[in-house]
């Protein structure tokens, strides 16, 4: 998270609101016509280890653009249920509800899923060293059943500090406040030292996640998307041809501007 509203979203996923029950399951909605961009957030959510359904929406738009997606293969690669929907037409919504009910009723009995994206060994070694200490410090403040490794990854990548300050600003549960602050301070110091070691090794967390996830996305989509050339002109193309015309485009721009200024 890089803003306060994004911190609220992450806190909800981690079950940090005392007056709200922890998350039982997540529906991650992605745009079927723009999978490359949407899978970035989806992979981050999946790595938290919460029961997650990936709903591929806007399949009609994808089809219009000549994009065919192998949803079964995508499900196999993500290791999570994938369902195709067209929400505005209510297609696939009832199947999504049934799948969600089944997932929520599972109550964590299924085997924990493996991380979606594999990061370099040096990064994983730092995460392994930090994980027990962070699990101890966060054992009371994070109530959702998130994967400890996924949460450790998120804190290592949190160079901006929004998530770190949100999670590690309180004394740890158990013991007096002084002990809690001391344990939290030690965790913060070791987290900062781990980030610095990674940066010195050429694995700066600020770039590592972006580069690794997009490389994974490219590899994942290589065999499961078929793109055919679309020759039919869409309404958007026809409108754009007029609006971006060298002469009429300028006229159409100036006319509303004059109207607005005259109205003011």
């Amino acid at each position: 998270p890089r803003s306060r509203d994004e911190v609220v979203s992450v806190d909800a996923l981690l079950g940090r609101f005392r007056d709200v029950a922890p998350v039982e399951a997540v529906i991650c909605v992605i745009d079927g016509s723009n999978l490359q961009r949407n899978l970035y957030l989806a992979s981050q959510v999946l790595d938290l280890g919460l029961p997650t359904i990936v709903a591929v929406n806007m399949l009609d738009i994808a089809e219009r653009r000549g994009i065919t997606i192998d949803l079964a293969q995508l499900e196999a690669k993500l290791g999570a249920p994938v369902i195709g929907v067209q929400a505005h037409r209510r297609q696939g919504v009832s199947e999504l509800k049934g799948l969600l009910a089944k997932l929520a009723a599972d109550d964590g009995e299924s085997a924990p899923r493996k991380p979606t994206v594999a990061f370099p060994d040096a990064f994983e070694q730092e995460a392994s060293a930090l994980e027990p200490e962070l699990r101890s410090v966060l054992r009371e403040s994070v109530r959702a059943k998130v994967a400890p490794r996924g949460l450790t990854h998120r804190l290592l990548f949190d160079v901006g500090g929004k998530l770190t300050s949100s999670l590690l600003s309180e004394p740890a549960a158990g013991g007096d406040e002084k002990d809690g602050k001391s344990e939290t301070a030690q965790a913060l110091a070791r987290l900062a030292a781990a980030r610095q070691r990674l940066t010195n090794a050429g694995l700066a967390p600020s770039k590592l996640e972006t580069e690794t996830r997009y490389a994974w996305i490219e590899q994942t989509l290589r065999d499961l998307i078929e793109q055919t050339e679309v020759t039919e002109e869409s309404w958007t193309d026809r409108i754009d041809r007029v609006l971006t015309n060298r002469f009429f485009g300028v006229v159409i721009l100036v006319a509303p501007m004059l109207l607005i200024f005259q109205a003011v």
Side-chain angles (χ1 to χ4, degrees):
R2 292 182 175 86
S3 61
R4 293 179 66 185
D5 55 325
E6 290 176 356
V7 171
V8 171
S9 300
V10 176
D11 282 346
L13 284 173
L14 299 181
R16 287 172 46 76
F17 297 121
R18 295 294 171 182
D19 55 340
V20 179
V23 171
E24 293 178 342
V26 179
I27 304 174
C28 191
V29 185
I30 62 178
D31 177 359
S33 64
N34 196 358
L35 277 186
Q36 186 170 20
R37 182 175 180 181
N38 283 222
L39 278 178
Y40 191 95
L41 175 62
S43 68
Q44 289 179 317
V45 174
L46 288 167
D47 283 350
L48 286 178
L50 294 166
T52 303
I53 300 169
V54 177
V56 183
N57 194 27
M58 298 176 70
L59 288 176
D60 52 333
I61 305 295
E63 186 178 345
R64 246 179 266 153
R65 295 179 182 175
I67 300 171
T68 304
I69 306 167
D70 188 335
L71 296 180
Q73 193 175 350
L74 180 62
E75 180 172 307
K77 290 194 174 187
L78 296 183
V82 173
I83 187 167
V85 296
Q86 292 182 39
H88 67 299
R89 295 176 178 170
R90 308 290 295 173
Q91 292 183 12
V93 174
S94 59
E95 293 85 349
L96 177 61
K97 288 180 178 179
L99 191 57
L100 181 63
K102 181 180 178 182
L103 200 65
D106 184 55
D107 198 25
E109 293 177 3
S110 58
R113 64 184 312 280
K114 296 179 181 179
T116 306
V117 180
F119 293 99
D121 291 341
F123 179 84
E124 293 295 355
Q125 288 169 10
E126 293 288 358
S128 296
L130 278 170
E131 189 177 314
E133 184 172 9
L134 291 175
R135 186 186 300 185
S136 173
V137 173
L138 300 173
R139 63 183 179 272
E140 292 296 329
S141 62
V142 176
R143 296 186 300 146
K145 295 178 181 179
V146 298
R149 177 55 59 90
L151 187 54
T152 304
H153 282 180
R154 291 262 48 84
L155 286 167
L156 277 170
F157 288 132
D158 185 46
V159 179
K162 289 285 186 183
L163 181 61
T164 304
S165 59
S166 175
L167 289 178
L168 298 176
S169 60
E170 307 168 353
D176 58 31
E177 188 174 332
K178 181 179 178 182
D179 292 339
K181 284 183 178 177
S182 174
E183 189 179 1
T184 301
Q186 289 177 11
L188 282 168
R190 289 178 183 171
L191 187 59
R195 288 181 188 142
Q196 189 59 53
R197 284 192 297 271
L198 287 168
T199 301
N200 294 341
L203 298 171
S206 58
K207 296 191 300 181
L208 178 63
E209 179 175 28
T210 304
E211 292 172 353
T212 307
R213 287 196 190 277
Y214 276 121
W216 168 81
I217 290 170
E218 185 179 351
Q219 178 66 33
T220 300
L221 297 182
R222 187 168 296 167
D223 301 324
L224 58 83
I225 285 187
E226 184 179 334
Q227 176 84 53
T228 56
E229 187 177 350
V230 178
T231 55
E232 183 182 351
E233 189 178 47
S234 66
W235 276 105
T236 303
D237 294 328
R238 294 168 190 166
I239 293 170
D240 285 346
R241 192 167 62 246
V242 177
L243 295 180
T244 61
N245 180 274
R246 188 172 298 180
F247 173 75
F248 291 110
V250 176
V251 174
I252 293 170
L253 169 67
V254 171
M257 295 292 291
L258 284 174
L259 179 64
I260 290 169
F261 278 111
Q262 288 300 317
V264 171

